[in-house]
């Protein structure tokens, strides 16, 4: 169940801004923040994702392998022009693009961003996920994202890699190949993948 805390629409099927409050999501399900993939359930219609996600992430034994597998899973579930995993280095407190796939990915790998300001930092520190559209305005808009990343995407999903209480990165997907816009269902899929990645990151840290 997803709790929508802000939705602006220009047409019946176009999301200008959609933010998901993960604390409300957790409370709505009457369960604690997920710490294992067994407690995370794919959205309706995407149940087929659970086995490949659990299998691929369980076998990832390093952060680099984990990042690449997470993006390949994301591209399989939601084909798009760009998929990137931006991680937070806990020691340097710098956000960096750990891995990126797609025609726009190569230019982003290795770039770093301030963890204290900007759209990526806001997504990380507030544990919010969002669908961004070109028609949006304000800090949660695709124009703000393009300015920060130096890209020219028309629509994007940012999903906080989080337990709901703490975050370790951001999953970014941009420009779906199946249409002009991302919708609420695809945001739910991205959140499922991001929370699964968070659990896998915690497991990697304990091994």
């Amino acid at each position: 169940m997803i709790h929508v805390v802000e939705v602006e629409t220009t047409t019946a099927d176009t999301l200008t801004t959609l933010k998901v409050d993960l604390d409300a999501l957790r409370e709505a399900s009457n369960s604690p923040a997920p710490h294992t993939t067994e407690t995370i359930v794919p959205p309706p219609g995407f149940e087929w994702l659970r086995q490949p996600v659990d299998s691929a992430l369980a076998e990832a034994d390093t952060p680099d392998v984990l990042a690449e597998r997470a993006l390949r899973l994301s591209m399989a579930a939601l084909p798009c022009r760009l998929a990137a995993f931006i991680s937070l280095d806990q020691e340097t407190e710098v956000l960096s693009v750990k891995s990126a796939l797609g025609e726009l990915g190569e230019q982003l790998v290795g770039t770093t961003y301030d963890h204290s300001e900007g759209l990526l930092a806001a997504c990380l520190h507030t544990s919010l996920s969002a669908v961004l559209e070109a028609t949006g305005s304000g800090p949660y808009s695709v124009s703000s994202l393009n300015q920060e990343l130096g890209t020219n995407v028309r629509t994007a999903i940012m999903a906080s890699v989080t337990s709901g209480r703490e975050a370790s990165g951001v999953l970014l997907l941009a420009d779906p190949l199946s249409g002009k816009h991302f919708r609420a269902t695809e945001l739910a899929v991205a959140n499922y993948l991001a929370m699964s990645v968070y659990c896998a990151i915690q497991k990697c840290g304990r091994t």
Side-chain angles (χ1 to χ4, degrees), residues 70-104:
L71 294 187
R72 293 192 182 281
L73 289 165
S74 300
M75 292 283 264
L78 304 173
C80 54
R81 291 177 60 219
L82 170 66
F85 178 62
I86 300 100
S87 64
L88 174 65
D89 188 312
Q90 300 291 346
E91 294 183 359
T92 63
E93 296 189 335
V94 169
L95 282 167
S96 63
V97 179
K98 193 78 172 176
S99 184
L101 298 177
E103 59 186 89
L104 303 175

Short mmCIF file of all heavy atoms in Angstrom, two decimals, residues 70-104:
data_model
loop_
_atom_site.label_atom_id
_atom_site.label_comp_id
_atom_site.label_asym_id
_atom_site.label_seq_id
_atom_site.Cartn_x
_atom_site.Cartn_y
_atom_site.Cartn_z
N ALA A 70 21.45 -4.45 -9.25
CA ALA A 70 20.24 -3.67 -8.94
C ALA A 70 19.77 -2.92 -10.17
O ALA A 70 18.57 -2.86 -10.46
CB ALA A 70 20.52 -2.71 -7.80
N LEU A 71 20.70 -2.35 -10.92
CA LEU A 71 20.33 -1.58 -12.11
C LEU A 71 19.83 -2.49 -13.23
O LEU A 71 18.89 -2.14 -13.96
CB LEU A 71 21.52 -0.75 -12.59
CG LEU A 71 21.96 0.36 -11.64
CD1 LEU A 71 23.04 1.22 -12.30
CD2 LEU A 71 20.79 1.23 -11.22
N ARG A 72 20.44 -3.65 -13.38
CA ARG A 72 19.98 -4.58 -14.42
C ARG A 72 18.57 -5.07 -14.10
O ARG A 72 17.73 -5.23 -15.01
CB ARG A 72 20.95 -5.75 -14.57
CG ARG A 72 22.30 -5.32 -15.13
CD ARG A 72 23.17 -6.48 -15.55
NE ARG A 72 24.46 -6.02 -16.03
CZ ARG A 72 24.68 -5.51 -17.23
NH1 ARG A 72 23.68 -5.43 -18.09
NH2 ARG A 72 25.89 -5.10 -17.58
N LEU A 73 18.28 -5.31 -12.84
CA LEU A 73 16.93 -5.70 -12.44
C LEU A 73 15.95 -4.56 -12.71
O LEU A 73 14.83 -4.78 -13.17
CB LEU A 73 16.92 -6.06 -10.96
CG LEU A 73 17.61 -7.37 -10.56
CD1 LEU A 73 17.83 -7.41 -9.06
CD2 LEU A 73 16.78 -8.57 -11.01
N SER A 74 16.38 -3.34 -12.41
CA SER A 74 15.52 -2.17 -12.64
C SER A 74 15.22 -2.00 -14.12
O SER A 74 14.07 -1.71 -14.50
CB SER A 74 16.21 -0.91 -12.10
OG SER A 74 16.44 -1.02 -10.71
N MET A 75 16.22 -2.17 -14.96
CA MET A 75 16.03 -2.01 -16.41
C MET A 75 15.14 -3.12 -16.96
O MET A 75 14.38 -2.91 -17.91
CB MET A 75 17.38 -2.02 -17.12
CG MET A 75 18.23 -0.81 -16.84
SD MET A 75 17.69 0.67 -17.74
CE MET A 75 18.79 0.62 -19.15
N ALA A 76 15.23 -4.31 -16.36
CA ALA A 76 14.38 -5.42 -16.80
C ALA A 76 12.91 -5.16 -16.45
O ALA A 76 12.01 -5.44 -17.23
CB ALA A 76 14.85 -6.73 -16.18
N ALA A 77 12.70 -4.63 -15.24
CA ALA A 77 11.33 -4.38 -14.78
C ALA A 77 10.74 -3.13 -15.42
O ALA A 77 9.55 -3.11 -15.77
CB ALA A 77 11.31 -4.25 -13.26
N LEU A 78 11.55 -2.09 -15.55
CA LEU A 78 11.09 -0.79 -16.06
C LEU A 78 12.09 -0.29 -17.11
O LEU A 78 12.93 0.56 -16.82
CB LEU A 78 10.98 0.23 -14.92
CG LEU A 78 10.09 -0.15 -13.73
CD1 LEU A 78 10.23 0.88 -12.62
CD2 LEU A 78 8.63 -0.26 -14.18
N PRO A 79 12.02 -0.80 -18.35
CA PRO A 79 12.97 -0.38 -19.39
C PRO A 79 12.97 1.13 -19.57
O PRO A 79 11.92 1.76 -19.70
CB PRO A 79 12.44 -1.09 -20.64
CG PRO A 79 11.67 -2.27 -20.12
CD PRO A 79 11.05 -1.79 -18.84
N CYS A 80 14.17 1.73 -19.56
CA CYS A 80 14.28 3.18 -19.66
C CYS A 80 15.64 3.56 -20.23
O CYS A 80 16.52 2.71 -20.40
CB CYS A 80 14.05 3.83 -18.30
SG CYS A 80 15.11 3.19 -16.99
N ARG A 81 15.81 4.84 -20.53
CA ARG A 81 17.06 5.32 -21.14
C ARG A 81 18.18 5.46 -20.14
O ARG A 81 19.36 5.51 -20.52
CB ARG A 81 16.81 6.68 -21.81
CG ARG A 81 15.94 6.63 -23.05
CD ARG A 81 15.72 8.02 -23.60
NE ARG A 81 16.97 8.66 -23.96
CZ ARG A 81 17.25 9.95 -23.77
NH1 ARG A 81 16.37 10.74 -23.18
NH2 ARG A 81 18.41 10.45 -24.16
N LEU A 82 17.84 5.53 -18.86
CA LEU A 82 18.88 5.72 -17.85
C LEU A 82 18.47 5.05 -16.55
O LEU A 82 17.34 5.22 -16.08
CB LEU A 82 19.12 7.21 -17.59
CG LEU A 82 19.99 7.58 -16.38
CD1 LEU A 82 21.43 7.11 -16.61
CD2 LEU A 82 19.96 9.08 -16.13
N ALA A 83 19.39 4.30 -15.98
CA ALA A 83 19.22 3.76 -14.63
C ALA A 83 20.53 4.00 -13.90
O ALA A 83 21.60 3.65 -14.39
CB ALA A 83 18.89 2.27 -14.66
N ALA A 84 20.45 4.64 -12.73
CA ALA A 84 21.66 4.96 -11.99
C ALA A 84 21.46 4.68 -10.50
O ALA A 84 20.37 4.88 -9.97
CB ALA A 84 22.05 6.42 -12.20
N PHE A 85 22.53 4.22 -9.87
CA PHE A 85 22.53 4.00 -8.42
C PHE A 85 23.50 4.99 -7.80
O PHE A 85 24.70 4.95 -8.06
CB PHE A 85 22.93 2.57 -8.09
CG PHE A 85 22.98 2.29 -6.60
CD1 PHE A 85 21.84 2.39 -5.83
CD2 PHE A 85 24.17 1.93 -5.99
CE1 PHE A 85 21.87 2.15 -4.47
CE2 PHE A 85 24.22 1.68 -4.63
CZ PHE A 85 23.07 1.79 -3.87
N ILE A 86 22.95 5.91 -7.02
CA ILE A 86 23.76 6.94 -6.35
C ILE A 86 23.87 6.56 -4.88
O ILE A 86 22.85 6.43 -4.19
CB ILE A 86 23.12 8.34 -6.50
CG1 ILE A 86 23.00 8.72 -7.97
CG2 ILE A 86 23.94 9.38 -5.77
CD1 ILE A 86 21.64 8.52 -8.56
N SER A 87 25.09 6.36 -4.41
CA SER A 87 25.28 5.89 -3.04
C SER A 87 25.92 6.97 -2.17
O SER A 87 26.61 7.87 -2.66
CB SER A 87 26.15 4.63 -3.02
OG SER A 87 27.45 4.92 -3.48
N LEU A 88 25.67 6.85 -0.87
CA LEU A 88 26.25 7.76 0.11
C LEU A 88 27.43 7.09 0.78
O LEU A 88 27.31 6.02 1.37
CB LEU A 88 25.21 8.14 1.17
CG LEU A 88 25.71 8.99 2.34
CD1 LEU A 88 26.14 10.36 1.84
CD2 LEU A 88 24.64 9.12 3.41
N ASP A 89 28.60 7.72 0.66
CA ASP A 89 29.79 7.26 1.38
C ASP A 89 29.69 7.77 2.81
O ASP A 89 29.74 8.98 3.05
CB ASP A 89 31.05 7.79 0.70
CG ASP A 89 32.33 7.19 1.29
OD1 ASP A 89 32.46 7.18 2.53
OD2 ASP A 89 33.18 6.74 0.51
N GLN A 90 29.54 6.87 3.75
CA GLN A 90 29.33 7.26 5.15
C GLN A 90 30.54 7.96 5.75
O GLN A 90 30.40 8.78 6.65
CB GLN A 90 28.98 6.03 5.99
CG GLN A 90 27.73 5.30 5.55
CD GLN A 90 26.46 6.10 5.81
OE1 GLN A 90 26.47 7.08 6.54
NE2 GLN A 90 25.35 5.69 5.22
N GLU A 91 31.74 7.69 5.22
CA GLU A 91 32.95 8.31 5.78
C GLU A 91 33.16 9.72 5.24
O GLU A 91 33.45 10.66 5.99
CB GLU A 91 34.17 7.44 5.48
CG GLU A 91 34.14 6.08 6.19
CD GLU A 91 35.41 5.28 5.93
OE1 GLU A 91 36.29 5.79 5.19
OE2 GLU A 91 35.52 4.18 6.48
N THR A 92 33.02 9.88 3.92
CA THR A 92 33.26 11.20 3.31
C THR A 92 31.99 12.03 3.22
O THR A 92 32.05 13.23 2.96
CB THR A 92 33.84 11.04 1.90
OG1 THR A 92 32.88 10.37 1.06
CG2 THR A 92 35.12 10.22 1.93
N GLU A 93 30.83 11.38 3.43
CA GLU A 93 29.52 12.03 3.32
C GLU A 93 29.33 12.68 1.95
O GLU A 93 28.81 13.79 1.83
CB GLU A 93 29.33 13.06 4.44
CG GLU A 93 29.30 12.44 5.82
CD GLU A 93 28.90 13.43 6.90
OE1 GLU A 93 29.10 14.63 6.69
OE2 GLU A 93 28.37 12.99 7.93
N VAL A 94 29.77 11.97 0.92
CA VAL A 94 29.61 12.42 -0.46
C VAL A 94 28.70 11.45 -1.20
O VAL A 94 28.80 10.23 -1.03
CB VAL A 94 30.99 12.49 -1.17
CG1 VAL A 94 30.81 12.69 -2.68
CG2 VAL A 94 31.82 13.62 -0.59
N LEU A 95 27.80 11.98 -2.01
CA LEU A 95 26.97 11.16 -2.88
C LEU A 95 27.70 10.96 -4.19
O LEU A 95 28.20 11.92 -4.79
CB LEU A 95 25.63 11.86 -3.14
CG LEU A 95 24.57 11.80 -2.04
CD1 LEU A 95 23.46 12.81 -2.34
CD2 LEU A 95 24.00 10.40 -1.92
N SER A 96 27.78 9.72 -4.66
CA SER A 96 28.45 9.46 -5.93
C SER A 96 27.67 8.43 -6.74
O SER A 96 27.00 7.57 -6.18
CB SER A 96 29.88 8.96 -5.69
OG SER A 96 29.87 7.72 -4.99
N VAL A 97 27.77 8.54 -8.06
CA VAL A 97 27.12 7.59 -8.95
C VAL A 97 27.97 6.33 -8.99
O VAL A 97 29.03 6.28 -9.59
CB VAL A 97 26.94 8.17 -10.37
CG1 VAL A 97 26.27 7.14 -11.28
CG2 VAL A 97 26.12 9.45 -10.32
N LYS A 98 27.48 5.30 -8.31
CA LYS A 98 28.23 4.05 -8.18
C LYS A 98 28.22 3.27 -9.49
O LYS A 98 29.21 2.67 -9.89
CB LYS A 98 27.59 3.21 -7.07
CG LYS A 98 28.43 2.04 -6.60
CD LYS A 98 29.53 2.50 -5.69
CE LYS A 98 30.26 1.34 -5.05
NZ LYS A 98 31.39 1.80 -4.23
N SER A 99 27.06 3.26 -10.13
CA SER A 99 26.90 2.54 -11.38
C SER A 99 25.77 3.16 -12.17
O SER A 99 24.85 3.74 -11.58
CB SER A 99 26.61 1.05 -11.10
OG SER A 99 26.53 0.31 -12.30
N ALA A 100 25.83 3.07 -13.50
CA ALA A 100 24.77 3.62 -14.35
C ALA A 100 24.70 2.83 -15.64
O ALA A 100 25.73 2.42 -16.18
CB ALA A 100 25.00 5.10 -14.63
N LEU A 101 23.49 2.61 -16.12
CA LEU A 101 23.26 1.88 -17.36
C LEU A 101 22.38 2.71 -18.29
O LEU A 101 21.68 3.62 -17.85
CB LEU A 101 22.57 0.54 -17.08
CG LEU A 101 23.31 -0.49 -16.22
CD1 LEU A 101 22.42 -1.71 -15.99
CD2 LEU A 101 24.62 -0.90 -16.86
N GLY A 102 22.42 2.37 -19.58
CA GLY A 102 21.60 3.08 -20.55
C GLY A 102 22.41 4.08 -21.34
O GLY A 102 23.58 4.33 -21.05
N GLU A 103 21.79 4.67 -22.34
CA GLU A 103 22.51 5.56 -23.24
C GLU A 103 23.02 6.83 -22.56
O GLU A 103 23.94 7.48 -23.06
CB GLU A 103 21.62 5.94 -24.42
CG GLU A 103 20.32 6.63 -24.04
CD GLU A 103 19.42 6.85 -25.25
OE1 GLU A 103 18.62 5.95 -25.56
OE2 GLU A 103 19.54 7.92 -25.87
N LEU A 104 22.45 7.17 -21.42
CA LEU A 104 22.90 8.36 -20.69
C LEU A 104 23.81 8.00 -19.52
O LEU A 104 24.32 8.90 -18.84
CB LEU A 104 21.70 9.14 -20.17
CG LEU A 104 20.66 9.61 -21.20
CD1 LEU A 104 19.48 10.25 -20.50
CD2 LEU A 104 21.28 10.57 -22.19
#
